[in-house]
């Protein structure tokens, strides 16, 4: 059936969906655009916990492991961690095409000189042998070939965006607003060697604007391009860390060694929210995700193209930037009018994304967008409890299988927090043939 917008076609009744696992515990993966499928689409990594929700203190334990989809979804535990959150899990990721999984952990011993964030580490586990070793820093994102990871200071998120931070083991560190010794680190996976390749001080001074002067600064949303040569990130700053409406944003790209820093978009703007009589509690849980100024959820479509939800030339859209030239093209104008977690498969014709909950129905929509025909195909509508909250929410965060015929989401539409698989290969075959 068609929506009132004839470019939106609801195909949810035709898409098979099933829950992963036995449902004994709550299970989830976390973030979007990081496939939790192994190279053979047989193993699905994730986290399991007896908790459905709750504000995390850094003491709660989550299991880390994988479901064997070829063996009745049997769960295989690889370890446990207290360095996790509801939005990103423990950043569990496959190490390239190897049979190894990396995830974040809390430090169990005294830090060495290379442990710049002494509370946290990352651990690599070989799923065939069970052998494990620790690396000196937590990870944020892996290079596609598994050779290096990029990371940053998760304690800065506790100050600004607790949803994706890890609480300190004892006392939260004293954080300088924009230091020269904190920022983006590159860590070699085989040697553990680390290098600071872009500091917050450098970003503070790069095309400086006055709104940065009294602000606290941080970095988020890092993504490596398919060839591993460049990566993107968001630089954010604010004078009021407890109010997202006071966040200011820049979208950057940079070489893997920290050279050739390029500013693609700057959303600096006046902030009436800083007025003394402004009331931040007047906003709903997801109002900021629909702000006309937010830059969020950037990722690489190709080695030279970046898609993001953000403002440009006075309008906010899904925007497609050409890294080399800086040109910008809106994606789905008049149709894709809401922030979401977009991700491309190996065929860039098809973009997956989702929406935040509708304020009237409390449902999120998972959809497939055809970039050639400009059509949106709704794959499912998923209810979420309105009282789940900001930090504990369960975004769908769609992730492609390696063969691009299955989608994995996190959802609470049946009650517990679980992972689900939607089979869309036959649907894509029909759409491409027609």
């Amino acid at each position: 059936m068609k929506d009132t917008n004839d470019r939106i076609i609801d195909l949810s009744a035709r898409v098979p969906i099933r829950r992963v696992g036995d449902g004994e515990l709550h299970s989830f993966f976390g973030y979007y655009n990081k496939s939790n499928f192994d190279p053979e689409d047989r193993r699905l990594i994730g986290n399991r916990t007896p908790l459905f929700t709750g504000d995390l203190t850094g003491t709660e334990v989550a299991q880390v492991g994988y479901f064997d989809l070829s063996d009745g979804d049997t769960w295989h535990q690889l370890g446990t961690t207290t360095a996790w959150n509801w939005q990103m899990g423990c950043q569990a990721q496959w190490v390239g095409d190897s049979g190894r999984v990396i995830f974040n952990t809390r430090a169990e011993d005294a830090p060495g000189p290379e442990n710049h964030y002494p509370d946290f580490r990352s651990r690599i586990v070989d799923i065939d042998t069970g052998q494990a070793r620790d690396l000196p820093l937590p990870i944020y994102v892996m290079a596609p070939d598994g050779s290096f990871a990029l990371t940053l200071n998760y304690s800065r998120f506790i100050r600004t965006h607790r949803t994706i931070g890890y609480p300190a083991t004892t006392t939260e560190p004293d954080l300088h607003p924009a230091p020269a010794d904190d920022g983006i680190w590159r860590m070699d996976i085989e040697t553990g060697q680390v290098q600071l390749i872009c500091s917050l001080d450098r970003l503070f001074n790069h095309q400086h604007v006055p709104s940065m002067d009294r602000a606290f600064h941080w970095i988020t949303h890092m993504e490596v391009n398919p060839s591993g040569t460049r990566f993107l990130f968001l630089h954010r700053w604010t004078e009021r860390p407890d109010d997202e409406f006071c966040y200011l944003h820049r979208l950057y790209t940079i070489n893997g060694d920290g050279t050739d820093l390029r500013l693609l978009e700057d959303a600096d703007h006046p902030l009436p929210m800083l007025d003394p009589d402004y009331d931040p509690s007047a906003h709903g849980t997801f109002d900021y995700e629909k702000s006309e100024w937010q830059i969020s959820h950037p990722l690489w479509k190709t080695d030279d193209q970046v898609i993001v939800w953000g403002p440009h030339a006075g309008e906010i859209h899904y925007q497609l930037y050409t890294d080399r030239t800086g040109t910008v093209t809106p994606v789905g104008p008049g149709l894709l009018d809401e922030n979401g977690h977009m991700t491309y498969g190996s065929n860039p014709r098809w973009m997956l994304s989702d929406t935040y909950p509708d304020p009237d129905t409390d449902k999120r929509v998972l959809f497939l967008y055809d970039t050639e025909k400009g059509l949106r195909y709704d794959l499912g509508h998923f209810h979420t409890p309105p009282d789940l909250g900001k930090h504990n929410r369960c975004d769908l965060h769609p992730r492609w299988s390696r063969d691009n015929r299955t989608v994995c989401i996190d959802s609470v539409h049946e009650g517990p927090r679980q992972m689900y698989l939607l089979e869309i290969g036959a649907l894509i075959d029909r759409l491409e043939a027609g």
Side-chain angles (χ1 to χ4, degrees), residues 13 24 40 56 60 95 107 125 133 212 217-218 230 236 279 285 377 397 404 406 411 429:
E24 180 181 347
E40 298 176 347
L56 302 177
E60 296 81 4
V95 180
V125 179
R133 63 184 178 93
M212 294 180 178
H217 297 250
W218 72 104
R230 286 182 69 76
R236 288 177 172 167
D279 179 13
T285 301
Y377 299 97
H397 286 157
N404 289 181
T406 305
S411 185
D429 289 344

Side-chain angles (χ1 to χ4, degrees), residues 155-223:
S155 294
R156 287 190 171 264
F157 293 140
I158 295 298
R159 285 281 302 276
T160 61
H161 197 41
R162 192 177 184 90
T163 307
I164 54 175
Y166 304 147
T169 303
T170 54
T171 304
E172 295 296 337
D174 185 20
L175 299 172
H176 185 279
D181 61 353
D182 195 3
I184 300 173
W185 297 83
R186 176 176 174 141
M187 180 169 63
D188 186 276
I189 295 301
E190 296 307 320
T191 68
Q193 182 179 357
V194 300
Q195 177 187 8
L196 182 66
I197 57 176
C198 186
S199 71
L200 284 162
D201 176 73
R202 178 183 178 186
L203 299 176
F204 178 88
N205 288 294
H206 185 263
Q207 299 184 30
H208 181 86
V209 292
S211 61
M212 294 180 178
D213 289 337
R214 295 181 300 275
F216 185 81
H217 297 250
W218 72 104
I219 294 162
T220 185
H221 287 84
M222 294 189 293
E223 295 283 348

Side-chain angles (χ1 to χ4, degrees), residues 111-167:
E114 74 280 14
N115 297 109
H116 302 280
Y117 308 130
D119 277 344
F120 309 114
R121 307 278 194 277
S122 53
R123 179 166 297 159
I124 294 179
V125 179
D126 187 304
I127 63 174
D128 294 321
T129 68
Q131 290 185 326
R133 63 184 178 93
D134 287 354
L135 292 170
L137 295 182
I139 65 162
Y140 190 96
V141 64
M142 291 290 302
D145 66 0
S147 62
F148 69 91
L150 299 175
T151 195
L152 37 66
N153 191 346
Y154 281 88
S155 294
R156 287 190 171 264
F157 293 140
I158 295 298
R159 285 281 302 276
T160 61
H161 197 41
R162 192 177 184 90
T163 307
I164 54 175
Y166 304 147

Side-chain angles (χ1 to χ4, degrees), residues 7 309 317-319 329-337 351 369 371 374:
R7 295 164 64 199
W309 175 263
H317 295 287
Y318 285 95
Q319 313 274 13
T329 305
V331 177
L335 179 65
L336 306 184
D337 57 0
M351 185 184 82
Y369 179 65
T371 62

Side-chain angles (χ1 to χ4, degrees), residues 29 31-36 91 93 140-141 223 399:
F29 176 69
Y31 230 24
Y32 71 108
N33 198 44
K34 294 178 174 70
S35 181
N36 51 340
Q91 289 284 29
Q93 295 164 63
Y140 190 96
V141 64
E223 295 283 348
R399 295 148 328 239

